[in-house]
Amino acid sequence: EVVERARKSSLPQEVRDALTVSTDTRTPHQQETVRNHFVRHFYAPARAVFNALNAEAERLAKAQSDLEASYSSTMVMEEMPKRRDTFILVRGDFRTFGETVTPGVPARLPPLREGSPPNRLGLAQWLVDPRNPLVSRVTVNRYWQQYFGTGLVKTSEDFGSQGEWPTHPELLDWLASQFIASGWDVKAIQKMIVMSATYRQSSRTTPESIKYDPYNRMLSRGARFRLDAEMIRDCALAVSGLIDNRIGGPSVSPYQPDGLWEEVGFGGGFSAQSYTQSHGADLYRRGIYTYWKRALPYPPLITFDAPNREVCTDCRARTNTPLQALVLLNDPGFVETARALGQRVIRQGGATLEERMRFAFVLCTSRPPRPQELEVLVRLFGAELKRFQQNPAAAAKLTSVGELPRPADLDAAELAAWTAIGNVLLNLDETITKG
């Protein structure tokens, strides 16, 4: 009866387990558990002390429970009490066991750290051991690739013996050693690279550099390559003044043609079967926060060679296709940013047409326009302004793309003409190219 009452009671599980054991067979720990619980909750002389302490303990336990409930949990792996035997499978047949294998690291690399267990923890400690140059070399090579377009080892996706030999092996060694010596300080290694004389070179080419270093593997000039897909969108949002730089938060769903997700949806209880567009500031968040469905990623990013995430991608390809120009010219998100750029130019660019045109050009390309470029843009603006003045419906339609409210105090034809200029500037190679 005592055992049954203990099982049904609201006592802590550890106390219930101890009460189900007869008093003469309880372990010292179980005896202590029962005694402590009795003193804390039922012993009258101690109630004055323990009531307040118990209340505080309950408050802290609830706070911990609320905190744990406020974030998502995920499955983790746990070491087995007894390691399972692992074998070489003869000819790949899972039914035919060969030689038994045990945890270890390649013999050509430093051994596991002394005292490290031969498990995942030991492997993690080995990866960041200062005697092991592998992780540091791979990491700094990828940082170099981000800034120069190509790593010191070009085949960053294949860093082994089958990959390409580094163009500057001593530099790679030195950067790796500096990264380790800094305590794996990521910001410090980024600062070191961008402040180097090599990175700060001009990207202008000369006949000599093209002849002797056509692919810039010898770093004879500054790097020049097209921005990654997310950065192209971020760049357009930034120059237009629309970008929302909040850090963190849930993913967002920018403009996307209707029905795309439904084409690849399965129906039923599967998640993300229909696309619900975001609104307000969420439309202008950085590309890193764009909701990504593996079966159908965000179309503008895919057009600019963003991977579909079905497989691991260490090095993105960069292509140049007509579809990319169509996205920059016609995608609602880019048309809206072009209009926002036009609004910004009208309000902040100055009083004269030339001042505004220079302001817009510098925003997009980080340099003033040449006289010939300025002349072409001014002529284009005049033609577009005349066209929209003659066709107010077209002006209203162009300046209504997207959810950004159209300012009532701006002339629709003028704003539409500046939207056309913004569209051209956002589509320039210089705008979407790092150089």
Side-chain angles (χ1 to χ4, degrees):
E1 181 182 356
V2 173
V3 171
E4 189 63 27
R5 288 172 57 190
R7 285 175 178 167
K8 294 181 179 180
S9 71
S10 59
L11 296 173
Q13 183 64 48
E14 189 178 24
V15 178
R16 280 186 283 168
D17 292 342
L19 289 175
T20 58
V21 180
S22 61
T23 56
D24 55 342
T25 59
R26 288 176 190 164
T27 66
H29 176 72
Q30 290 173 328
Q31 294 174 3
E32 184 180 5
T33 297
V34 173
R35 182 173 59 253
N36 288 346
H37 186 78
F38 174 77
V39 171
R40 284 183 57 187
H41 297 279
F42 299 101
Y43 187 54
R47 284 181 182 176
V49 176
F50 280 105
N51 282 349
L53 294 176
N54 290 334
E56 178 66 10
E58 291 177 3
R59 185 189 69 79
L60 293 174
K62 184 178 184 305
Q64 180 180 358
S65 176
D66 292 343
L67 176 62
E68 292 174 350
S70 67
Y71 54 80
S72 302
S73 60
T74 186
M75 294 185 293
V76 297
M77 291 185 290
E78 184 178 2
E79 297 293 338
M80 300 174 63
K82 182 180 183 301
R83 188 188 306 279
R84 183 181 61 192
D85 291 334
T86 303
F87 306 90
I88 294 177
L89 303 180
V90 179
R91 301 181 64 85
D93 184 355
F94 68 91
R95 299 167 300 179
T96 308
F97 292 166
E99 182 182 353
T100 303
V101 294
T102 57
V105 297
R108 294 182 63 87
L109 293 172
L112 288 172
R113 184 187 301 177
E114 185 177 352
S116 292
N119 54 22
R120 286 185 292 271
L121 174 60
L123 176 62
Q125 294 172 340
W126 174 79
L127 288 174
V128 296
D129 192 314
R131 298 175 301 166
N132 178 12
L134 182 63
V135 172
S136 182
R137 285 165 59 84
V138 171
T139 303
V140 297
N141 187 69
R142 291 184 183 175
Y143 290 153
W144 191 273
Q145 176 180 275
Q146 290 176 359
Y147 288 111
F148 292 89
T150 304
L152 296 170
V153 175
K154 183 179 180 180
T155 54
S156 57
E157 72 281 5
D158 187 353
F159 213 79
S161 60
Q162 301 300 311
E164 186 175 302
W165 190 258
T167 54
H168 301 73
E170 294 85 358
L171 175 58
L172 181 61
D173 290 344
W174 184 79
L175 286 172
S177 64
Q178 291 296 306
F179 191 34
I180 295 174
S182 69
W184 305 90
D185 191 332
V186 175
K187 288 186 177 181
I189 200 71
Q190 310 287 330
K191 182 178 179 180
M192 181 185 297
I193 293 175
V194 299
M195 293 187 68
S196 66
T198 303
Y199 180 76
R200 290 183 290 154
Q201 291 181 105
S202 170
S203 59
R204 291 179 179 272
T205 59
T206 63
E208 291 77 13
S209 67
I210 292 295
K211 179 180 179 181
Y212 295 107
D213 190 15
Y215 300 107
N216 200 30
R217 299 304 310 282
M218 294 296 107
L219 308 170
S220 60
R221 56 189 179 274
R224 183 169 61 192
F225 54 91
R226 200 204 67 214
L227 298 174
D228 287 334
E230 296 87 347
M231 294 183 182
I232 291 175
R233 181 173 177 273
D234 293 353
C235 176
L237 290 171
V239 300
S240 68
L242 286 178
I243 193 166
D244 183 343
N245 282 313
R246 284 178 295 160
I247 297 177
S251 299
V252 296
S253 304
Y255 304 112
Q256 179 172 289
D258 295 333
L260 289 183
W261 277 26
E262 287 73 13
E263 287 294 324
V264 298
F266 294 98
F270 293 96
S271 63
Q273 295 303 291
S274 60
Y275 191 81
T276 304
Q277 181 191 298
S278 299
H279 302 283
D282 284 348
L283 287 171
Y284 315 121
R285 301 213 67 189
R286 293 167 53 209
I288 192 175
Y289 296 108
T290 299
Y291 189 94
W292 197 285
K293 184 172 182 175
R294 189 169 60 179
L296 183 65
Y298 186 52
L301 300 188
I302 293 298
T303 305
F304 284 97
D305 308 310
N308 59 15
R309 300 187 184 178
E310 291 183 354
V311 295
C312 178
T313 302
D314 297 308
C315 184
R316 294 188 183 187
R318 286 189 174 89
T319 62
N320 192 354
T321 69
L323 281 177
Q324 295 168 355
L326 289 174
V327 167
L328 293 175
L329 288 170
N330 300 311
D331 182 83
F334 284 98
V335 174
E336 185 182 37
T337 55
R339 172 163 63 93
L341 174 60
Q343 294 174 193
R344 183 179 182 184
V345 169
I346 294 173
R347 298 191 186 281
Q348 304 175 17
T352 68
L353 177 59
E354 287 76 12
E355 288 177 343
R356 290 178 174 180
M357 201 65 73
R358 289 191 180 92
F359 177 77
F361 198 93
V362 170
L363 278 178
C364 293
T365 67
S366 301
R367 70 168 178 84
R370 302 183 183 93
Q372 302 92 326
E373 294 168 330
L374 185 60
E375 180 184 352
V376 170
L377 290 171
V378 168
R379 189 166 63 248
L380 174 63
F381 177 83
E384 292 296 301
L385 179 61
K386 182 179 179 180
R387 179 169 73 91
F388 286 120
Q389 286 174 340
Q390 295 173 349
N391 190 347
K397 183 177 181 180
L398 179 61
T399 56
S400 299
V401 175
E403 294 187 0
L404 181 70
R406 186 177 64 190
D409 60 326
L410 297 183
D411 178 71
E414 183 184 13
L415 179 56
W418 277 112
T419 301
I421 295 297
N423 211 320
V424 169
L425 293 177
L426 292 176
N427 198 60
L428 292 177
D429 279 345
E430 276 193 76
T431 303
I432 64 173
T433 300
K434 178 188 182 301

